[in-house]
Amino acid sequence: MSVVESLVKLVEKYANNKKVSKIVVKVGKLSGIEPYFLKECFEVFKENTICSEAKMEIVEIEKKIFCEDCKKEFEIRGFDFRCPNCKSENTKLIAGNELYIEYIEIKE
């Protein structure tokens, strides 16, 4: 619930008291945020805010790693973070743990 509260406060800050019709949020699969619950909490929390009529669209971001050895990026499935190309464990996560507002649409 606190994540949704923070999202709505950010939207209110940048919408300049104008009604919001849509919020697009990007959620990484390793962010610890369950998209279904994020959307459900938003539906409850948005009442009596400038987001009261807004729809939330959630875009899930896949897990992506960068291999420091072969210098390639790969999208991964599951929780095997070894490089699928060279099998190195010298990798770093470059996508999949984020949560951010991609954009908002303001009612005219």
Side-chain angles (χ1 to χ4, degrees):
M1 197 69 154
S2 63
V3 171
V4 173
E5 183 178 11
S6 295
L7 287 173
V8 170
K9 283 182 181 179
L10 271 174
V11 169
E12 287 176 332
K13 178 180 176 181
Y14 291 103
N16 295 322
N17 293 320
K18 297 177 183 168
K19 286 283 191 178
V20 175
S21 60
K22 183 178 183 179
I23 302 169
V24 177
V25 179
K26 290 207 170 182
V27 178
K29 291 199 172 190
L30 290 175
S31 67
I33 303 296
E34 176 58 48
Y36 172 80
F37 293 121
L38 181 67
K39 200 173 232 181
E40 289 298 309
C41 286
F42 176 72
E43 291 301 316
V44 172
F45 194 84
K46 72 180 186 177
E47 291 183 28
N48 301 318
T49 72
I50 63 170
C51 300
S52 62
E53 298 173 27
K55 301 291 182 204
M56 177 181 277
E57 180 181 319
I58 297 176
V59 178
E60 288 190 75
I61 299 173
E62 294 295 332
K63 300 170 280 201
K64 190 183 275 189
I65 60 170
F66 177 77
C67 179
E68 297 287 353
D69 293 337
C70 68
K71 306 296 185 209
K72 295 183 180 178
E73 293 181 9
F74 299 95
E75 194 172 287
I76 60 169
R77 302 282 183 234
F79 294 97
D80 184 357
F81 292 89
R82 290 177 293 170
C83 176
N85 184 53
C86 70
K87 307 301 182 217
S88 171
E89 293 182 7
N90 188 17
T91 62
K92 66 179 178 180
L93 186 68
I94 59 171
N97 61 345
E98 57 272 87
L99 168 66
Y100 62 91
I101 298 169
E102 176 75 1
Y103 66 89
I104 60 175
E105 289 181 4
I106 308 291
K107 284 189 172 187
E108 294 296 323

